[in-house]
Amino acid sequence: MSKIYITTPIYYVNDKPHIGHAYTTILADVLARYHKAEGDQVFFLTGLDEHGQKVQQAAQKRSMSEQDHCDDLAPRFTELWKKLEIQNDDFIRTTQDRHIKVVKAVLQKVYDSGDIYADEYEGWYSVAEERFITETEKESGEFRDVKCLKERNWFFKMSKYQQKLVDHINEHPDFIQPEHRKNEVLGFLKKPLNDLCISRPKERMSWGIELPFDSDYVTYVWFDALLNYITGIGFNSDQKKFDTWWTLSVHLMAKDILTTHCVYWPTMLFSLGLPLPKKIFAHGWWLISETKMSKSLGNVVNPLDLVDQYGVDSVRYYLMREMVLGADANFSLESFIKRYNSDLANDFGNLLNRVSGLIGKYFDGKIPEPQKLTVEDKDIQAQVNALSSEIKEQIEKMRVHDAIEVVMKVVRHVNTYLERQAPWKVAKEDLARAGTILYVATETMRASAVHLSPVMPSKTEEALKILGAVSTTAKWGGLKSGTKLETHEALFPRIEMNKDA
Ligand code: MSP
């Protein structure tokens, strides 16, 4: 048994959550459920980033106080997570007292250690990004709302830790994943690192945590937000809890926030004298028509609409199966329906329909007793028993789509096995043999449902209930002969594509 601490980014409460946010949160949930099923201890944290300019502007637009705006939007996230069957252990909001205390204590500690200093700074400032940008960044044209700003501010000596960070990355090959993201960070670290401006004058931006050593300033939103990962497990309040989880942390996010997590965050931890997280994993973006889904483009897909229409499990399945972790993926309703129909309706759901239909017809709905297994039966048995280690291997490499695919391959295989063995024909001459075939197919269905339960918790539970499966271990032999199958509707009824749509 081992332990793992899984985090998602804390999302900005500047609008309602979209499918991109849902994706990282579902991914974290699938990993958490997978590890729990393996007998590991898991702590899973998600939450909201409630300070900073974006949130302040969003509140102003709605003519609301910042806190009222956050309090109003927070339930949209928590309700969505409930609907998506997210089993997080804690939900952190950066306006909570416990977090404000940690941020202030950290700022004071870093200040006392001499890693924070005041300086006058003149440079290009991106209002949209909420940070000073370099000349090259400005010229790239990728930044919106850029203006020249001259200001006295507080700086964190990030540059001091540059070499230490490079060494850490080189000595811990799994620290930043996937590999190409690690190389991106190492490339970034080839140039001298600037110190990090960690304050905002209140007269310009007041919605943040006040610096404990200068009340004219609030702290920069990222210096505040990143600390959620240690607040959430009791830093400065519950040492035992913190020690249990911190070094086992796996931070999940998309590539947009790679630098903040792989450069700002580790250098802050170095300054605090804390160990670095175990792993930082940046996945790609969900795109719509090749463009990143974003609220400013208005191309966001509301996950709730999809869930209401097609069910939570199929949305979870699609998102997990369709995206190759690390690469971008294109979202379209058409690809969703295609995936649903082929994998869930035709392969997985159909297997259950077939075995329960045949067992109903030939065995009075009771799971038959298997006789001696043939070579082909044993081959399926061996494939089913190999699944656990094959899935483990894929999950360790963070290849969730492949972990799903190894199960689906066996599901497809057993469907063709049924075609070939034709128990409906065999039953006429050798009922016992037909029973063995159906036992093999049904047991494969059961094991597949167990393996897919982290991805589709509800539908697999339903399938297992139909099979009267008491055992939730995936190992061969969990079905009890003689158990009466429950009558049921199709798990995943086919979605008919509207050709005119
Ligand atoms: N508040 C910061 C994170 C602070 S973490 C200490 C932030 N928030 S955000 O609301 O913009 O969320 C960004 C994250 O949402 C991404 O890193 C990713 O996890 C998820 N996604 C948002 N849009 C996405 C896509 N289009 N595709 C995939 N994931 C996306 O940044």
Side-chain angles (χ1 to χ4, degrees), residues 8-14 18-25 48-50 54 77 221-222 224-229 252-258 260-261 283-287 291-294 323 328-329:
T8 73
I10 47 170
Y11 306 108
Y12 287 126
V13 275
N14 51 354
H18 61 67
I19 204 93
H21 307 121
Y23 175 73
T24 317
T25 314
L48 297 176
D49 192 352
E50 302 192 339
K54 285 184 202 198
F77 286 82
V221 66
W222 274 101
D224 159 354
L226 288 160
L227 291 166
N228 91 85
Y229 299 131
L252 303 173
M253 73 213 61
K255 60 186 178 181
D256 48 343
I257 49 179
L258 188 72
T260 47
H261 280 81
H283 58 75
W285 281 336
W286 279 96
L287 309 172
T291 315
K292 185 184 177 220
M293 224 179 273
S294 94
M323 181 176 263
D328 291 344

Side-chain angles (χ1 to χ4, degrees), residues 66-131:
E66 290 86 355
Q67 193 61 60
D68 284 351
H69 162 83
C70 295
D71 292 346
D72 181 53
L73 283 192
R76 301 208 194 171
F77 286 82
T78 46
E79 277 158 23
L80 175 63
W81 300 157
K82 210 187 266 167
K83 202 145 181 172
L84 291 174
E85 307 213 13
I86 305 298
Q87 289 184 334
N88 50 304
D89 294 290
D90 202 346
F91 188 79
I92 188 160
R93 297 178 56 186
T94 52
T95 51
Q96 286 165 343
D97 257 4
R98 59 170 172 166
H99 182 65
I100 294 171
K101 272 193 197 134
V102 167
V103 175
K104 288 196 170 188
V106 165
L107 281 163
Q108 191 63 53
K109 191 166 179 213
V110 178
Y111 177 78
D112 291 343
S113 72
D115 276 354
I116 290 178
Y117 62 93
D119 199 5
E120 180 94 0
Y121 186 82
E122 182 170 15
W124 298 111
Y125 185 82
S126 157
V127 180
E129 285 287 310
E130 292 189 51
R131 68 173 174 97

Side-chain angles (χ1 to χ4, degrees), residues 2 4 31 34-35 38 40 174 177-178 250 278-279 281 325 388-403:
S2 55
I4 182 167
L31 292 173
Y34 169 80
H35 283 283
E38 285 287 284
D40 297 340
D174 290 340
Q177 285 183 19
V250 175
K278 192 168 164 199
K279 198 189 295 189
F281 188 95
L325 265 176
S388 286
S389 65
E390 285 175 27
I391 292 170
K392 191 168 189 218
E393 195 186 322
Q394 299 303 337
I395 294 286
E396 273 166 10
K397 288 193 271 181
M398 290 290 282
R399 299 184 67 86
V400 173
H401 65 289
D402 280 335

Side-chain angles (χ1 to χ4, degrees), residues 225-468:
L226 288 160
L227 291 166
N228 91 85
Y229 299 131
I230 59 173
T231 305
I233 47 164
F235 178 73
N236 251 13
S237 62
D238 186 344
Q239 192 65 31
K240 196 163 160 248
K241 185 172 176 187
F242 181 74
D243 290 341
T244 305
W245 298 109
W246 178 239
T247 53
L248 307 164
S249 44
V250 175
H251 296 324
L252 303 173
M253 73 213 61
K255 60 186 178 181
D256 48 343
I257 49 179
L258 188 72
T259 313
T260 47
H261 280 81
C262 298
V263 180
Y264 298 7
W265 183 221
T267 52
M268 285 166 67
L269 291 164
F270 281 144
S271 175
L272 278 172
L274 289 177
L276 300 195
K278 192 168 164 199
K279 198 189 295 189
I280 297 176
F281 188 95
H283 58 75
W285 281 336
W286 279 96
L287 309 172
I288 290 195
S289 316
E290 311 297 330
T291 315
K292 185 184 177 220
M293 224 179 273
S294 94
K295 129 183 130 52
S296 50
L297 281 171
N299 65 351
V300 295
V301 177
N302 184 351
L304 282 177
D305 293 348
L306 277 183
V307 168
D308 287 341
Q309 209 165 346
Y310 304 108
V312 56
D313 292 82
S314 49
V315 173
R316 288 173 64 111
Y317 181 88
Y318 169 79
L319 292 175
M320 292 302 108
R321 175 62 189 83
E322 201 71 16
M323 181 176 263
V324 174
L325 265 176
D328 291 344
N330 250 302
F331 180 91
S332 73
L333 195 57
E334 204 185 343
S335 76
F336 172 82
I337 295 177
K338 229 166 122 186
R339 179 64 75 185
Y340 173 103
N341 278 342
S342 69
D343 292 18
L344 299 179
N346 288 4
D347 295 338
F348 188 73
N350 192 32
L351 177 59
L352 182 66
N353 279 352
R354 290 174 96 182
V355 292
S356 70
L358 290 164
I359 290 174
K361 187 158 175 197
Y362 297 105
F363 295 92
D364 192 25
K366 289 189 188 137
I367 295 170
E369 185 80 45
Q371 309 297 312
K372 200 167 179 302
L373 300 189
T374 63
V375 173
E376 211 178 341
D377 302 342
K378 281 189 184 152
D379 175 47
I380 292 196
Q381 183 186 33
Q383 285 184 35
V384 168
N385 280 339
L387 279 177
S388 286
S389 65
E390 285 175 27
I391 292 170
K392 191 168 189 218
E393 195 186 322
Q394 299 303 337
I395 294 286
E396 273 166 10
K397 288 193 271 181
M398 290 290 282
R399 299 184 67 86
V400 173
H401 65 289
D402 280 335
I404 295 173
E405 186 50 23
V406 295
V407 184
M408 292 310 289
K409 229 163 98 186
V410 177
V411 169
R412 283 194 296 271
H413 186 97
V414 85
N415 270 322
T416 50
Y417 160 90
L418 274 178
E419 288 294 328
R420 255 196 328 272
Q421 298 280 336
W424 51 91
K425 281 190 199 149
V426 176
K428 291 179 190 132
E429 289 131 35
D430 186 349
L431 196 63
R433 173 63 198 149
T436 307
I437 299 166
L438 286 172
Y439 183 91
V440 168
T442 314
E443 177 57 5
T444 307
M445 175 70 212
R446 186 198 68 82
S448 309
V450 172
H451 282 303
L452 289 175
S453 68
V455 181
M456 300 191 285
S458 290
K459 286 289 176 183
T460 53
E461 194 185 323
E462 204 179 312
L464 290 169
K465 199 165 160 272
I466 291 165
L467 298 176

